[in-house]
Amino acid sequence: MSAILDTAGLKNVKTLKIIQDEVASTQRIALSVDCVIFGFDENKLKVLLIRSDLKKYNGRWSLLGDLIDGNEDLDEAAYRILKQRTGLKDVYLEQVQTFGAVNRHPAGRVVTIAYCSLINIQHHKLRIFDNELHWHDVNNVTDLAFDHQKIFETCYQRLQKRIQEHPLGFNLLPKKFSLRELQNLYEAILGTKMDRRNFRKKFFAMDFLIDLDEIEQDVPHRPGKLYKFNYDKYEKKKKKWSGIDF
Amino acid sequence: MSAILDTAGLKNVKTLKIIQDEVASTQRIALSVDCVIFGFDENKLKVLLIRSDLKKYNGRWSLLGDLIDGNEDLDEAAYRILKQRTGLKDVYLEQVQTFGAVNRHPAGRVVTIAYCSLINIQHHKLRIFDNELHWHDVNNVTDLAFDHQKIFETCYQRLQKRIQEHPLGFNLLPKKFSLRELQNLYEAILGTKMDRRNFRKKFFAMDFLIDLDEIEQDVPHRPGKLYKFNYDKYEKKKKKWSGIDF
DNA sequence: AAAGCAATGTGTAAATTTTACACAAATTAG
DNA sequence: CTAATTTGTGTAAAATTTACACATTGCTTT
């Protein structure tokens, strides 16, 4: 036990009221959530964008976002926005980073919390035309409104890293998928080509894929076997350390 | 170019004024920064805590934090807090995660952005007694005020991961350090024991350590050689992908 | 000054992991 | 039935990781 812990008196004790006054006297900062929603279609990684509703950014694309309500949790807000704007629910969502440059928003001080979302485009048919939503190839995203370009790039980089260390990618695929689809996904996200045999070996060695004893339908060539990811087994066995390497 | 991009008209166009009104009409949410400040001393990883200034948390320890001013960037706010409360500047700072559970703060809705900071305790002598600051062994941190326990644990886990993939650890060491000090640091942060020869081999193989041709002083045994980290070389050569592995 | 102590500094062999690479089998399309 | 396309599989070489022991250095004690 430290000397300080034992002997120090309490200075600067504040009542709740004083803190409440401090909180109330700070300059107003609005909080928003912006969602970078990724999908995978036709072997391309896509991101869902919406036309900016702000005249200043006339016609430019932007992320889906909204102001946070005073009595909802951050994750709740992100789910709400996703649900309201796309009709989607039960999707993968993860907080990535908070962006708060003073002049990032033309309407005043708005700090935004960026979320990354992964959805399966086939499963979730969304009302794109109602909302001026559009799936963009991630390699063709430029000049977004606000600071959304930077937010997008941050989230994309985070995805590239996370997908190598965690089983996120399956959120972008159908529940049943072939190894070729899985490899296409990784290649699309990472922007690389991989050796097919080594890729398969790696995933089989992890031993988290359940062989469904089914094969692909309606493919114009030899159909591949279908698998699903064994989340339960993963949760029990996932590794702790990757080892020092930089 | 997509059909949507070409043909869709612009609906829901808003003027700046409308957005400003929306921003102004949201419920007030205060923003704060909380810093998890790590130091390394006597072969232990330490975290800097302060007595909660709130009566409700009478005597409990908490992270260093403060409300964000309306016209400062987030990183700026974190630097300011660090400087104001500890006298420290030019330290490593990284945003980690934002915490915003509705009832996390007793004084109302306060969303906080957690930062992780790494400082060298020897270089930066801080005015601990003036401020009721205390360095706690990270293995002995319990029952912090607010949701600071969770924030601390999140930041500690992030540090454990990041230190294996990026050369952050050197911020916790003197500019000149021995390999034993470096290994002690990694062992303290990760809570593991490592093989000395393999540890040295690994770092020499990275080839980012500059041999200073100096040796430790005032050690009661054979002194080790001193090194510094070659940031320039690292910046040029750092790797992109770690490979799929989970 | 000598002996003892405590930590540094070093190499190699075995095990594991990663990489590169080619051909036969299944299915559809024509 | 043939051609075209994609699936599915194994092995050898290379690279990396792991386990492990002893001589050297400098300080401390006697």
Side-chain angles (χ1 to χ4, degrees), chain A residues 16 19-20 23, chain B residues 32 34 53-54 56-57 67 100-112 146-148:
Chain A
L16 197 54
I19 305 252
Q20 281 167 345
V23 167
Chain B
S32 67
D34 282 300
D53 54 2
L54 186 55
K56 167 173 178 179
Y57 291 117
L67 294 167
V102 172
N103 292 312
R104 62 170 293 279
H105 198 291
R109 188 75 198 276
V110 183
V111 169
T112 198
F146 310 97
D147 56 353
H148 287 189

Side-chain angles (χ1 to χ4, degrees), chain B residues 43-233:
Chain B
N43 291 336
K44 299 243 191 291
L45 184 66
K46 306 286 181 76
V47 61
L48 190 63
L49 300 176
I50 189 169
R51 297 261 192 191
S52 170
D53 54 2
L54 186 55
K55 215 170 186 175
K56 167 173 178 179
Y57 291 117
N58 179 32
R60 281 164 72 185
W61 296 97
S62 68
L63 301 171
L64 275 80
D66 196 9
L67 294 167
I68 297 180
D69 188 61
N71 42 27
E72 62 185 346
D73 287 345
L74 307 181
D75 292 359
E76 258 179 42
Y79 273 109
R80 172 178 62 77
I81 288 160
L82 217 59
K83 181 90 185 300
Q84 281 180 352
R85 308 289 282 264
T86 70
L88 301 174
K89 56 182 178 177
D90 300 324
V91 298
Y92 176 88
L93 251 189
E94 185 190 352
Q95 192 197 112
V96 173
Q97 203 183 306
T98 298
F99 295 81
V102 172
N103 292 312
R104 62 170 293 279
H105 198 291
R109 188 75 198 276
V110 183
V111 169
T112 198
I113 303 168
Y115 276 78
C116 172
S117 178
L118 305 178
I119 73 168
N120 178 294
I121 293 185
Q122 286 78 27
H123 287 182
H124 302 275
K125 279 298 168 202
L126 39 92
R127 304 171 306 252
I128 284 184
F129 291 93
D130 292 356
N131 292 286
E132 300 207 60
L133 293 170
H134 185 242
W135 286 108
H136 287 245
D137 187 315
V138 291
N139 297 305
N140 200 19
V141 172
T142 52
D143 199 34
L144 298 183
F146 310 97
D147 56 353
H148 287 189
Q149 186 73 30
K150 187 176 175 192
I151 295 176
F152 160 70
E153 281 160 14
T154 300
C155 288
Y156 184 22
Q157 282 162 23
R158 180 76 130 255
L159 173 63
Q160 289 183 318
K161 184 164 170 44
R162 296 264 307 166
I163 201 177
Q164 296 184 75
E165 303 176 343
H166 302 277
L168 310 179
F170 306 101
N171 291 292
L172 292 162
L173 293 176
K175 284 207 186 72
K176 305 174 178 184
F177 53 85
S178 68
L179 275 172
R180 162 56 61 187
E181 290 176 289
L182 186 61
Q183 184 173 345
N184 285 342
L185 175 69
Y186 273 85
E187 290 180 343
I189 293 177
L190 299 177
T192 59
K193 286 289 170 195
M194 300 178 186
D195 180 89
R196 189 160 53 96
R197 275 183 289 189
N198 292 336
F199 183 87
R200 299 166 72 89
K201 209 186 311 179
K202 176 149 249 161
F203 270 91
F204 287 141
M206 286 182 193
D207 207 26
F208 292 136
L209 295 183
I210 297 172
D211 184 338
L212 294 170
D213 274 320
E214 291 177 66
I215 57 172
E216 293 177 290
Q217 301 298 323
D218 302 319
V219 287
H221 52 73
R222 174 176 177 180
K225 299 179 79 170
L226 294 177
Y227 299 86
K228 67 174 181 178
F229 187 76
N230 191 338
Y231 283 99
D232 292 341
K233 190 168 184 181

